[in-house]
Amino acid sequence: MISMIKTRTRPPQAQFDELLIWVFVSLLAIGLVMVYSSSIATAEASKFTAFNPAYYLMRHGIFIALGVVAGVFAFQMPVQMWQNLAMPLFIIGGVMLILVLIPHVGREVNGSRRWLSLFVINLQPSELMKLFAVLYAADFTIRKTNVGHMFTKAFLPMFAVMAVVGSLLLLEPDMGAFVVIFSIAFCTLWLGGFNLKVFVLLLCALPVAFYGLIASSPYRMQRVIGFMNPWDDPYGKGYQLSHSLIAFGRGEWFGVGLGGSVEKLFYLPEAHTDFLMAVIAEELGLVGVAMVIGLFALVVIRAFQIGRHAAFLEHHYAALVAQGIGVWIGVQAMINIGVNMGVLPTKGLTLPFLSFGGSGIVVNCIAAAVLLRVDYENRRVARGMPI
């Protein structure tokens, strides 16, 4: 009788990862506040924004709303459906990367051709390609599990596919997206248990390949030279990085206060996109930076825990998708923060969930929904419930 009473009074287990949901909400909320703070001066002084100081705030709010709606729809799709769509979506992503390079089809901004104009908004296919790469790499790894030890049947096909996608990205050019997608693909193969010898060879070949990419482009070489010592040319190659470092220095422990940044006042270019972390550092200090890094760390840790749980339940595709999303968010956040701090050369990568950008925010929200869906299915299967 006592055991029956205990069973009846036991609180029901949650069907969702509430901590992870609040982490995503926190990142989006911080991003909304900081995008407004970092863009208000630029928007107020620009004819493009009709001198409206809340221009970027309103657009970013709309993008978040669209992302949440897209995420709700994505959450309704079972993981098996994502696996069935992995190959078609990846092909569609590749076609869009080709369309971007066609004159009068792709839109060029600041010397880079990365956008497709949809009249009201601009679509950035490389952002979608990150999600499609997660889905495709997980599906490829599952299909090649039995031949994972064979170089020609397992590693070489993926390398060829990534070479094609990487070439298209470098023609835009979008070196940052190339690095993220490459990391997603080969970390997924690693997590899928492919031959260790292949990855040892890859680690040996990567430095040579990256040196070739840098040396083949004067533009990339100038960025690396500027990154090595931005103070050698603080008004030229090192201008953006030097002002980012000044913002970090001014922030100290607790920052100068929300809205108090000086660097965002036309000193630091792209303050609301690629260099948003510098404004966070200046206004919120080391405490604010540590909080943001902590939130990203929680996302990555939970993604790998969800993936491990899915693998334990023998849902191997779902496991690789969850961990692939963790790799994606972790690598992109690490690169963006590293660039802002002068640890890595400057690349055009936004801070996931925070930086201004419609395509990035919507795709990040869809990725978050897919991760939550994997966790949702894990919980239902563990309780013997239908998915």
Side-chain angles (χ1 to χ4, degrees):
M1 179 64 71
I2 295 175
S3 62
M4 290 177 63
I5 293 173
K6 288 183 178 179
T7 302
R8 289 176 184 173
T9 58
R10 183 180 301 164
Q13 295 181 349
Q15 295 199 24
F16 304 97
D17 190 333
E18 296 178 2
L19 173 62
L20 190 56
I21 291 174
W22 280 112
V23 169
F24 288 135
V25 170
S26 299
L27 286 170
L28 291 171
I30 293 171
L32 185 65
V33 172
M34 295 311 302
V35 163
Y36 180 48
S37 177
S38 60
S39 66
I40 185 169
T42 304
E44 196 172 26
S46 174
K47 292 181 180 179
F48 173 75
T49 63
F51 308 106
N52 180 5
Y55 175 83
Y56 291 104
L57 171 67
M58 292 187 296
R59 285 182 66 86
H60 195 66
I62 292 170
F63 293 147
I64 290 176
L66 290 173
V68 170
V69 171
V72 170
F73 279 104
F75 183 82
Q76 308 303 318
M77 295 176 59
V79 176
Q80 182 60 51
M81 187 178 295
W82 286 111
Q83 185 174 7
N84 296 338
L85 293 172
M87 179 71 78
L89 288 174
F90 192 77
I91 293 172
I92 290 171
V95 171
M96 287 194 294
L97 289 180
I98 294 172
L99 291 175
V100 163
L101 300 174
I102 299 175
H104 309 298
V105 177
R107 185 165 180 262
E108 185 174 339
V109 178
N110 296 330
S112 297
R113 191 179 292 275
R114 303 178 184 176
W115 295 269
L116 293 174
S117 179
L118 301 181
F119 302 104
V120 179
I121 61 172
N122 293 317
L123 176 67
Q124 191 171 355
S126 60
E127 292 292 340
L128 284 170
M129 203 61 185
K130 294 169 189 175
L131 175 62
F132 298 162
V134 170
L135 302 174
Y136 174 76
D139 179 57
F140 177 89
T141 304
I142 295 299
R143 287 187 285 108
K144 299 292 184 178
T145 299
N146 295 330
V147 293
H149 61 286
M150 300 176 66
F151 179 83
T152 55
K153 292 186 177 181
F155 179 80
L156 197 57
M158 175 60 80
F159 185 84
V161 169
M162 287 298 111
V164 173
V165 172
S167 299
L168 294 173
L169 289 169
L170 292 175
L171 288 172
E172 295 184 5
D174 195 345
M175 182 70 172
F178 167 71
V179 172
V180 171
I181 291 173
F182 185 92
S183 301
I184 291 169
F186 290 97
C187 284
T188 301
L189 295 183
W190 169 269
L191 293 166
F194 275 35
N195 195 333
L196 178 62
K197 293 180 180 178
V198 170
F199 290 94
V200 173
L201 292 173
L202 179 65
L203 289 174
C204 295
L206 274 178
V208 178
F210 275 107
Y211 175 78
L213 286 172
I214 293 168
S216 65
S217 170
Y219 167 75
R220 296 191 197 102
M221 183 61 75
Q222 289 299 318
R223 282 199 165 188
V224 171
I225 293 172
F227 147 75
M228 296 296 287
N229 190 355
W231 308 110
D232 279 349
D233 188 10
Y235 298 105
K237 297 186 293 291
Y239 180 81
Q240 202 167 22
L241 179 55
S242 61
H243 281 280
S244 179
L245 294 175
I246 291 170
F248 270 86
R250 290 192 76 244
E252 298 185 353
W253 287 95
F254 300 103
V256 297
L258 186 62
S261 169
V262 172
E263 288 301 317
K264 69 184 182 184
L265 303 177
F266 311 105
Y267 293 104
L268 180 62
E270 309 296 337
H272 59 297
T273 55
D274 298 352
F275 281 82
L276 184 66
M277 181 56 85
V279 179
I280 293 174
E282 187 177 3
E283 295 190 350
L284 304 181
L286 178 62
V287 172
V289 172
M291 179 175 63
V292 171
I293 293 175
L295 290 172
F296 279 119
L298 279 173
V299 172
V300 175
I301 290 169
R302 284 300 298 137
F304 274 82
Q305 289 175 339
I306 290 169
R308 185 177 61 182
H309 189 195
F312 177 77
L313 297 172
E314 297 186 355
H315 289 192
H316 300 295
Y317 177 77
L320 290 175
V321 166
Q323 292 171 345
I325 291 173
V327 170
W328 164 18
I329 301 301
V331 168
Q332 184 164 334
M334 180 182 69
I335 292 174
N336 178 275
I337 295 170
V339 166
N340 277 246
M341 296 177 66
V343 178
L344 295 171
T346 304
K347 295 180 180 65
L349 269 182
T350 56
L351 193 59
F353 297 102
L354 279 86
S355 294
F356 178 82
S359 300
I361 287 292
V362 172
V363 174
N364 290 158
C365 288
I366 293 173
V370 173
L371 181 58
L372 289 167
R373 177 71 195 194
V374 174
D375 177 68
Y376 171 77
E377 292 188 8
N378 286 349
R379 292 170 186 250
R380 292 185 68 86
V381 171
R383 296 174 198 161
M385 301 169 67
I387 297 175

